[in-house]
Amino acid sequence: MTSTVRWLRRQTAGIVALVLVVGAFAVSRIPEAPAQERRDLAASYGFTALSIDLPGGLPQQEIRQVNQDYAHIDAWISSVGAGIAMNDLDGDGLPNDLCVVDPRTDTVSVTPTPDARSDRYAPFTVGLGDLPVGPGTAPMGCTPADLNEDGATDLLVYFWGRTPVVLLGSVTGGSAPLTAEGYRAVELVPGVGDATYTGPQWNSNAVTVADFDGDGRTDVYVGNYFPDGPVLDPTVAGGVEMNDSLSNASNGGADAVLRLTDVSADGVPAFEQVDAGIPDDLSRGWVLGASAADADGDQLPELYLAQDHGRDALLHNRSTPGSISFAVVTAPADPTVPKSKRLGTDSFKGMAVEWADLDQDGLYDLFVSNITTPWGIQESNFQFMDTSGSRAELAADLQAGVAPYRDESTGSRTAWAGWAWDVKAGDFTNSGTLAVAQTTGFVQGETNRWPQLQELATANDLTVRDPALWPHVSSGDDIAGDQRLAFFAPAGDGTFTDIAPELGLDVPVPTRGIAVGDSDGDGRLDMAVARQWDQPVFYRNTAPDAGAHLTLNLQHVDAPGSPVVGAEVSTTLPDGRVLVSRVDGGGGHSGKRSSEVHLGLGDVDGPVEVDIRWRDRAGEVHDQTLQLRPGRHTLLLGTTIVDER
C-alpha cells in the first residue's frame, strides 16, 4: 500500500496532465450524431453536382501578384475573391443565371445554370468598358440588383483596388439572349477619373443592397477590408498595413453607405455617399460579410456587420426618407455568457452573416460564420436566437439599445464547421424548416502552416500591424486547405446535424460564396458554390419527397421585373409554425441568393393565407393578404395580378 501511494505521488503531475488532456479533448470534440441517425436524416435530401460552364481561353493564375510588402504572405492575400450569385438576369421568370467571380482569371462571367435550358446563351465575361482601371485591381464579388429601376437586372461588381462599378443590364422579359454587349458600365461612386483612375483604392469584400432610408429606392452598403491602398500592385512597396489587432482592430478600410438619389434620362443611377452614423471604429473593423433585414417590422432594414478583426455589430435602423441613420445595439450583459460570445462585444473572426427564422416563430435569427477549427483556432459560429418573444418587444428593445439575442450554437450543434465563410439558410426539402449551408477552408497546399498561425494568434497586438512580422504563407503552404462544405440539417428537436458527407458535398477544396435559388422552377432550392482557386460547382436539388412550396417573385407594379427588395412574406402552417422570409437584396460574404421568396409548406395541399408587407417607389408601406395555392407566383405588388406556374 505504501509503495503504491508513493508511486501515485510521484506520478501526480503526469496524472493531472493526462486528466487535463482527456478533458480538453472531450470539450473540444465536435459533437456528432450517430451514423444511422445521419443516414436517416440525409435520406430526405439529395443533390447532384454539375459543372458550371465558363468562358474559355482566359489566362490562368495560381496566386495573385501583390504589393511587395506582402510578398511573403501572398497566399494569405490571395485567399478571397471567389464569388457567385444566382438570379434572373434575362427576365425569363427563373433565377437560372449565374454571375461568377473567378480569381484564377480575375474576371466576372455570366453563364446559365446547368439545366435543360443551358443553351439559351453562351457564357461570357463582362468588362468595365471605357471606365479607368488602375494597377492592382481585381473583382471580389457580384451582386445582381435593379439599380436604375427600369426592370432589367444590373450587376454591381466590387473590387480590391478601386470603387465598385454598376453594369447596367438591358434585357427584360426574356426579350433577347444575354450578351456582354448588353451591359453598360457606369461608376457607383462619381468623380473617379476619366482616362486614368484617380479615385480611392477601396478594398471591398462585402456589399448589401436595401432601401435603408425608406424612400422606396434601393441603397448600397459597401464593406471595405484593407485600408485604402495598393494591396494588389506588385510594382509598389509600402502604402499598406495589416490589422492593428486580431480581435479589436479599427484600422481597416472605412465602410461606405450610398443613397440612390436620381436616375438620369439615359438610365444612369446617381448615388451619394452619406454619413449613416456608423462609429469609425466599427466602420474600420475589417468587414468580410454583411446582410440586411427588417427585424422589428417597420420596413426599415437592420444591418449586421461580420468583422474579421474587429467586433461584429448589429445596427438598428433609425432612418427617415432622405436621411440614413443607424444606431449600435448590443446584447445585455449576462454572467453566464462570455463577452466573446455576446452580440456586439465578441472577439471572434466574423466572416459572413445570414438572417433567417431558424425556429419558425416569425422572428429573424442570425447565423454568423467564424473560425472554428479544432486544434487550430477554435472559436465557434454564432447562432444568435431572438429571445424577445414578439416584434413589439423586439422593437422596444432595439430602440433602447438592447439586442435581445443569445448564442445557441453549442446546444444546437452548429458551433463548429472549420474556417468558415459564407452561410445561407434555405428549406431544401420544403418541410417548413430551414437547413444551413456553410463554406469552409482557407489556403490549400502541402506545407502545414497552422503552428505559425497559432503563434500569430497569441502575439501581442502591438506587433501584428506590420506585414513584415507575419509568418510566411505563400504558394504551397496549407492552412485548413482540406476542409469541406458544411450542411447543417434540422434534426427535428431544435438541433442540427452536419450531413454534408452523406450528401456528397464534402469535397476537400476551400469554398467561399454560396448562392441559392430554384433555378429550374421545380419548387426545390438549388445551390451554387464558388471555390477559391478551383472550379465553381452547381448542386441541383434532387430531394426525393419534397413537400409543397410557395415561390414568390415580387415585382414593382411600375417596373415589372424589378424586385421589391425588402418585401416581407409570412404565413402560418396548420401546426402553428410561422414562416417568414423576404426579398433579399444580397448579403453574406461573396455569395448572393435569388431575389425570389421561397417558403416550404410541408404536406399542405390547399390554398394558404399569405401576408405581404412592402414599400412602394414613393416609400409608402403597404400590407396585403392573399390566398395563394402552393407553387410559383409572380406578383406585381399593389395590384391583384398573379401569374401562376
Side-chain angles (χ1 to χ4, degrees):
M1 178 69 70
T2 302
S3 61
T4 302
V5 171
R6 289 199 196 99
W7 182 86
L8 287 172
R9 286 175 177 171
R10 286 197 301 269
Q11 303 302 321
T12 297
I15 294 171
V16 170
L18 179 60
V19 170
L20 290 175
V21 168
V22 172
F25 176 73
V27 170
S28 63
R29 290 177 62 193
I30 297 176
E32 294 184 356
Q36 187 58 51
E37 179 183 329
R38 295 164 61 90
R39 288 192 291 269
D40 292 344
L41 188 58
S44 299
Y45 295 83
F47 292 97
T48 298
L50 300 171
S51 297
I52 293 173
D53 195 12
L54 296 175
L58 298 171
Q60 300 275 324
Q61 60 184 358
E62 295 182 357
I63 201 167
R64 286 196 174 104
Q65 292 187 307
V66 300
N67 187 292
Q68 294 171 29
D69 280 10
Y70 289 151
H72 64 294
I73 55 171
D74 54 0
W76 187 293
I77 302 300
S78 301
S79 64
V80 293
I84 197 160
M86 187 189 309
N87 222 303
D88 181 6
L89 303 185
D90 61 1
D92 68 352
L94 291 172
N96 52 7
D97 306 293
L98 300 173
C99 184
V100 180
V101 179
D102 191 343
R104 298 173 303 170
T105 57
D106 275 341
T107 58
V108 180
S109 299
V110 173
T111 184
T113 56
D115 55 34
R117 299 181 59 239
S118 61
D119 60 353
R120 289 174 289 121
Y121 58 90
F124 58 89
T125 61
V126 287
L128 302 191
D130 296 329
L131 299 185
V133 178
T137 298
M140 291 289 146
C142 174
T143 303
D146 182 10
L147 295 174
N148 63 351
E149 306 175 339
D150 66 350
T153 302
D154 313 312
L155 302 175
L156 176 58
V157 180
Y158 48 102
F159 302 86
W160 280 7
R162 82 175 323 273
T163 55
V165 168
V166 180
L167 300 171
L168 295 174
S170 59
V171 177
T172 60
S175 57
L178 288 175
T179 64
E181 292 71 28
Y183 288 93
R184 177 170 49 127
V186 300
E187 298 285 4
L188 179 73
V189 178
V192 296
D194 295 321
T196 303
Y197 183 76
T198 58
Q201 291 178 302
W202 287 4
N203 297 294
S204 307
N205 266 124
V207 157
T208 295
V209 174
D211 177 9
F212 290 120
D213 64 346
D215 66 352
R217 316 188 90 168
T218 52
D219 310 304
V220 177
Y221 163 84
V222 180
N224 294 316
Y225 190 71
F226 286 97
D228 295 4
V231 173
L232 299 180
D233 187 350
T235 68
V236 175
V240 293
E241 59 186 306
M242 298 300 286
N243 41 292
D244 59 8
S245 169
L246 292 170
S247 60
N248 195 29
S250 58
N251 67 321
D255 300 343
V257 178
L258 298 109
R259 178 176 168 269
L260 178 62
T261 59
D262 193 18
V263 177
S264 69
D266 61 348
V268 178
F271 289 87
E272 66 169 355
Q273 189 170 341
V274 300
D275 179 1
I278 304 175
D280 189 64
D281 60 335
L282 287 179
S283 175
R284 296 179 178 272
W286 299 74
V287 68
L288 280 175
S291 188
D294 174 20
D296 58 3
D298 61 0
Q299 274 292 292
L300 292 172
E302 278 60 60
L303 179 64
Y304 190 98
L305 307 182
Q307 314 259 37
D308 188 1
H309 300 297
R311 67 187 187 277
D312 288 3
L314 176 57
L315 304 176
H316 181 224
N317 196 331
R318 299 181 181 178
S319 305
T320 57
S323 177
I324 299 177
S325 177
F326 292 108
V328 179
V329 294
T330 58
D334 185 330
T336 67
V337 179
K339 178 182 177 182
S340 59
K341 289 174 71 69
R342 186 159 61 95
L343 193 155
T345 66
D346 76 281
S347 57
F348 289 173
K349 308 297 183 290
M351 305 293 197
V353 57
E354 168 80 319
W355 293 88
D357 182 7
L358 297 174
D359 55 1
Q360 295 82 55
D361 64 352
L363 299 169
Y364 291 111
D365 309 301
L366 286 155
F367 197 108
V368 181
S369 293
N370 294 308
I371 300 180
T372 71
T373 299
W375 309 108
I377 296 178
Q378 188 165 6
E379 301 171 342
S380 76
N381 295 318
F382 294 141
Q383 185 181 319
F384 285 129
M385 303 300 293
D386 185 304
T387 62
S388 65
S390 71
R391 268 200 160 162
E393 293 178 54
L394 174 61
D397 283 341
L398 293 178
Q399 193 63 39
V402 176
Y405 296 89
R406 184 181 178 91
D407 175 40
E408 301 289 349
S409 60
T410 302
S412 297
R413 299 194 304 207
T414 59
W416 299 289
W419 192 304
W421 295 90
D422 211 1
V423 57
K424 293 291 184 290
D427 189 345
F428 294 92
T429 60
N430 294 335
S431 63
T433 55
L434 302 179
V436 178
Q438 188 178 41
T439 56
T440 67
F442 188 50
V443 174
Q444 191 169 55
E446 299 80 36
T447 304
N448 182 9
R449 292 298 186 189
W450 269 116
Q452 289 81 4
L453 180 59
Q454 289 165 336
E455 290 180 1
L456 176 68
T458 60
N460 190 297
D461 279 351
L462 296 176
T463 68
V464 298
R465 185 169 185 159
D466 185 351
L469 300 179
W470 280 57
H472 284 237
V473 183
S474 193
S475 179
D477 292 332
D478 187 281
I479 301 174
D482 63 349
Q483 293 185 353
R484 297 108 194 276
L485 189 76
F487 191 89
F488 295 105
D493 59 356
T495 67
F496 293 79
T497 300
D498 181 9
I499 57 172
E502 286 73 18
L503 298 178
L505 302 176
D506 61 332
V507 180
V509 176
T511 46
R512 289 296 179 267
I514 303 178
V516 295
D518 179 11
S519 70
D520 53 7
D522 68 352
R524 293 174 290 192
L525 285 177
D526 306 301
M527 184 166 59
V529 177
R531 294 167 167 170
Q532 190 69 23
W533 302 104
D534 209 327
Q535 185 80 2
V537 62
F538 186 86
Y539 290 107
R540 182 166 62 88
N541 191 335
T542 58
D545 297 303
H549 71 98
L550 267 179
T551 303
L552 303 182
N553 190 350
L554 305 179
Q555 303 177 2
H556 283 284
V557 65
D558 54 353
S562 183
V564 186
V565 174
E568 185 175 276
V569 179
S570 63
T571 189
T572 302
L573 297 180
D575 61 8
R577 288 180 294 165
V578 180
L579 308 183
V580 61
S581 190
R582 72 199 190 285
V583 178
D584 187 358
H589 175 58
S590 61
K592 302 296 184 285
R593 63 159 44 84
S594 160
S595 55
E596 292 182 336
V597 175
H598 179 93
L599 298 175
L601 302 177
D603 57 4
V604 170
D605 58 6
V608 295
E609 186 173 278
V610 178
D611 295 316
I612 306 174
R613 185 173 174 83
W614 81 97
R615 284 187 189 270
D616 62 21
R617 289 287 195 211
E620 292 190 23
V621 177
H622 299 267
D623 294 279
Q624 190 169 5
T625 300
L626 298 173
Q627 294 286 332
L628 297 176
R629 293 186 290 107
R632 295 182 60 86
H633 305 269
T634 297
L635 283 70
L636 300 180
L637 292 186
T639 74
T640 56
I641 298 175
V642 179
D643 174 26
E644 300 180 334
R645 302 188 181 191

